[in-house]
Amino acid sequence: MPERYADILVVDLLGGIGDLLMLLPAVHGLARRNPGARLRVLTHDPGAELVRADPAVAEVLTPRHGRPGAEREAVVEALAATRPDLAVSTTRYDGIPDLIEAAAGRAVTNLWRDPPPQQPVGDRYLEILCAEGLLGARDRAARPRVHLSDEAARAGERAVARLVGEPLAPPVVLVTDAGMAVKRWPERNWRGLAGELTRRGHPVLTVGTPAGDPLGVPLPRAGLPVLAGQFAAVGRRGGVVVGPDTGPVRLAAAAGSATVALFGPTDARRYGMGGADLQGLPGCPHRLPTAITEQPCWWQARCPLDAAGPACMADLDVDGVLAAVTAR
């Protein structure tokens, strides 16, 4: 029989919503394998809101401030509050692995170790935890899923119903921002896609564009749980969420919507979301699938192949994206 743990601490302090979502199958797998355990998650806001209503999670912890060293302080506090029987972490900076290993009964502190270039990140997490005997083979097929409270689900449904009514074609949500310039699809492409979808009768909704922008009708601004509820409502109508490799698109997939994800600097084979994952410029010689932050384009969006902007994102044309949307 595998060992059971009564108190489990999961630490994800990488900072991105998508990072937490990729870890959710591991969180849920640990909860299933340890029924009755008190499972705590230490992560950043606003992503923390996505697990506060999750029945698998007993407590959600976040750093107390945004100054340097906040994450390390939060780990120290979590370990001091209760010594975990098991701690699992994706976080490798500021001596955090050493803190966890010294305090936890058992620790797995590097879920990023030795990744094959084409293995999805979430699958790598699950494979390592299986190899450690903490999960079983059946857990490896799990995919990210967010738990929606009744309130978030109802709010999301009301918002989408008000905006789309009874459309002749399913709605399409465009997530036009990416947080990082290197991941952004050219604005002219977004406008071309929105125009063609509108001509075909699809209600076009947007996330992250100003109110009144002719690109589409903005979804009401809301916290992440309600946004997940909005994506779930789009999914129930057979709709699709389109956008770059970014947290909101991952959230849409985890909420049950079909997605078309646009990958440029990141490798779709490693960071794919399980929907239609489109890779721009697959043969780019500068792409480093397991070391993306070391790519020459990453921080400043200065593409070595095109001074006008990321060549990989421009390589994804409107017709190809439109075909993927209609196929979904």
Side-chain angles (χ1 to χ4, degrees):
M1 289 287 292
E3 187 174 357
R4 295 275 179 89
Y5 299 92
D7 192 287
I8 301 171
L9 177 65
V10 177
V11 178
D12 180 77
L13 293 167
L14 300 177
I17 298 166
D19 296 308
L20 177 61
L21 291 171
M22 288 189 287
L23 187 59
L24 281 185
V27 171
H28 294 147
L30 290 170
R32 283 193 302 271
R33 297 274 288 189
N34 298 275
R38 178 172 177 259
L39 192 153
R40 297 177 290 156
V41 173
L42 171 56
T43 191
H44 283 110
D45 283 320
E49 290 299 319
L50 295 173
V51 287
R52 285 202 166 95
D54 196 318
V57 178
E59 186 178 8
V60 180
L61 309 169
T62 59
R64 293 181 181 274
H65 58 82
R67 298 185 298 276
E71 290 81 4
R72 182 181 173 89
E73 291 176 19
V75 172
V76 170
E77 289 183 11
L79 294 170
T82 305
R83 180 181 183 271
D85 303 315
L86 170 67
V88 173
S89 176
T90 60
T91 307
R92 298 176 290 172
Y93 58 82
D94 207 8
I96 287 173
D98 293 337
L99 289 174
I100 293 172
E101 289 166 8
R106 182 178 179 189
V108 180
T109 58
N110 187 0
L111 293 183
W112 292 88
R113 63 180 182 254
D114 305 322
Q118 298 180 13
Q119 185 179 37
V121 171
D123 289 1
R124 184 61 181 160
Y125 294 166
L126 296 175
E127 181 177 78
I128 288 174
L129 292 173
C130 285
E132 294 278 351
L134 297 171
L135 295 180
R138 293 177 63 183
D139 296 310
R140 292 187 61 176
R143 292 294 175 263
R145 286 291 179 265
V146 291
H147 177 83
L148 288 177
S149 69
D150 290 342
E151 181 182 1
R154 287 195 296 268
E157 176 61 33
R158 286 195 300 269
V160 173
R162 185 177 73 252
L163 293 178
V164 306
E166 297 294 334
L168 298 177
V172 179
V173 180
L174 308 182
V175 180
T176 58
D177 196 8
M180 296 188 70
V182 72
K183 294 183 180 181
R184 290 176 186 149
W185 204 35
E187 182 179 350
R188 64 181 180 278
N189 291 17
W190 282 119
R191 297 201 175 278
L193 178 64
E196 187 56 40
L197 289 168
T198 300
R199 282 190 288 274
R200 297 185 182 202
H202 296 275
V204 176
L205 309 174
T206 62
V207 173
T209 56
D213 191 298
L215 188 65
V217 178
L219 282 168
R221 291 187 179 276
L224 290 178
V226 174
L227 180 60
Q230 294 170 352
F231 288 146
V234 168
R236 283 192 293 273
R237 289 165 171 77
V240 181
V241 176
V242 187
D245 175 14
T246 191
V249 183
R250 291 190 184 278
L251 179 58
S257 178
T259 59
V260 174
L262 313 180
F263 288 85
T266 50
D267 193 318
R269 295 168 298 182
R270 183 150 167 74
Y271 290 92
M273 303 178 198
D277 298 322
L278 307 183
Q279 181 72 66
L281 210 63
C284 174
H286 302 283
R287 188 180 290 115
L288 302 173
T290 63
I292 54 177
T293 61
E294 298 175 18
Q295 294 173 183
C297 61
W298 187 255
W299 297 110
Q300 303 297 328
R302 293 174 182 165
C303 178
L305 304 178
D306 189 347
C312 52
M313 295 304 293
D315 186 55
L316 294 164
D317 62 36
V318 172
D319 289 343
V321 175
L322 180 64
V325 171
T326 55
R328 294 294 286 162

